[in-house]
Amino acid sequence: MRAAAAGLLCLAVPAGGAFAADDEEEKPAVPNIYLDLRTIYATIPAGTLPLGFGNTSLSAAFQALAAQRGTSLPNGLPAAKSIAIDLPLTVDVSDRVSLYGGVSGTTTDIGGGWSSFDITSWNIGVQADLYQQNGGKIPTITLQSTLTQSVPNEQGMTNSFNNIVEFDYAVDEDETRGWLAGLQYTTVTIASPFATIRPNTILYAGGYYQWPSNWKFTGRLGMQSFGGALLAGRTLAESFTQPVLRLDLDRMDDNDNRLFGITAQIAWMPKPSYQVTLRTPLYAVRN
């Protein structure tokens, strides 16, 4: 992990330089550096995995748990509750590019009480604006890619690769109101010859509004299609195509840095799964 963190910070220098020629005045002398602390509580219906918008750390931990304990669950996956804490160190290289990497810890209750809280995955990723609207007719195009690996590195370990492409069309000059559309695609591999998790895809649309007080509301509604999961020739999680809803309320500062956020998500699988996320970033440097 020390090597991954060092590589992340090294990447920040050339990535920032790539956009310096475009507008040197927009690039701060020192990039934003912060722990994007996220605390997640989720309920997971029986017979499925914790899927939905961008929750790869929780999903990787539960997928690994399912693969490791699958042989002792003859009736399939039970209903579960989970609490996860994500601690990605984030560097906003510029107003276009952010790099992040860190660890996640999880505790899970699958009917026999809460497990001990342990480090269950690490992740590394990048978010970049491939194109910025800047008052034009073409929306801002953002790509976010995250690689997540479960911990420990043993039989049943999972690797997930989550990619999101989002289009953001602002309808005012200050970009406080706008429409969203996007696609999230997640693939998972398991270090076991007996287990398979098929891809998960979300196609969604939504919008956002930011008040003069810098409170920002964002809503996304989409359809999620999951190919299912198999273990030793039997179904571990059924395939489905069902709606998913995500609502975000964020407190921003005058420079659009997030100070606090809360996210509520309902994903039907086909029974509803509920998830609440608190975001409380801890800034070392904030421009």
Side-chain angles (χ1 to χ4, degrees):
M1 288 307 303
R2 291 177 181 173
L8 180 68
L9 292 176
C10 290
L11 283 171
V13 176
F19 297 105
D22 292 342
D23 191 347
E24 294 183 358
E25 294 182 358
E26 292 185 2
K27 180 185 174 186
V30 180
N32 285 347
I33 303 174
Y34 56 99
L35 282 174
D36 192 11
L37 174 62
R38 298 190 291 265
T39 305
I40 306 164
Y41 173 79
T43 64
I44 308 162
T48 191
L49 300 170
L51 305 167
F53 285 105
N55 53 358
T56 56
S57 60
L58 179 61
S59 184
F62 198 75
Q63 289 162 358
L65 177 67
Q68 293 164 2
R69 300 193 57 179
T71 55
S72 64
L73 299 172
N75 298 321
L77 293 174
K81 296 177 288 185
S82 186
I83 297 174
I85 295 179
D86 290 347
L87 282 170
L89 174 64
T90 305
V91 179
D92 292 339
V93 179
S94 69
D95 66 339
R96 292 175 179 255
V97 179
S98 295
L99 304 173
Y100 54 89
V103 297
S104 303
T106 309
T107 176
T108 304
D109 179 6
I110 58 173
W114 291 94
S115 65
S116 60
F117 185 86
D118 296 311
I119 299 299
T120 50
S121 67
W122 61 264
N123 64 75
I124 188 168
V126 58
Q127 178 172 312
D129 288 347
L130 305 180
Y131 179 86
Q132 290 186 329
Q133 181 179 356
N134 291 331
K137 299 298 183 181
I138 301 176
T140 296
I141 304 172
T142 302
L143 171 66
Q144 181 179 7
S145 296
T146 307
L147 173 66
T148 304
Q149 179 177 298
S150 64
V151 175
N153 189 345
E154 60 184 22
Q155 184 77 4
M157 174 196 75
T158 67
N159 284 295
S160 65
F161 191 42
N162 187 62
N163 292 285
I164 301 172
V165 177
E166 185 168 88
F167 299 86
D168 175 352
Y169 183 79
V171 298
D172 65 336
E173 184 178 352
D174 293 332
E175 299 184 351
T176 58
R177 295 177 290 125
W179 301 103
L180 300 172
L183 171 70
Q184 175 179 299
Y185 183 74
T186 308
T187 58
V188 180
T189 59
I190 301 181
S192 169
F194 308 107
T196 302
I197 296 179
R198 297 192 175 107
N200 184 57
T201 304
I202 301 177
L203 185 65
Y204 65 90
Y208 58 90
Y209 182 85
Q210 183 170 333
W211 286 270
S213 60
N214 285 334
W215 283 97
K216 182 178 182 179
F217 174 78
T218 307
R220 295 174 176 87
L221 177 64
M223 291 297 294
Q224 178 173 220
S225 180
F226 175 53
L230 300 174
L231 178 64
R234 64 186 180 89
T235 300
L236 189 66
E238 296 281 355
S239 61
F240 63 83
T241 299
Q242 295 287 339
V244 56
L245 173 67
R246 171 175 161 173
L247 305 174
D248 295 88
L249 182 64
D250 296 295
R251 180 72 165 92
M252 315 297 286
D253 66 10
D254 290 337
N255 294 311
D256 281 339
N257 298 306
R258 180 182 289 103
L259 303 178
F260 169 81
I262 183 169
T263 298
Q265 175 179 277
I266 305 175
W268 286 264
M269 302 188 223
K271 293 183 178 180
S273 170
Y274 303 97
Q275 181 175 305
V276 177
T277 303
L278 294 179
R279 299 185 69 170
T280 49
L282 306 175
Y283 285 90
V285 177
R286 177 162 63 97
N287 292 291

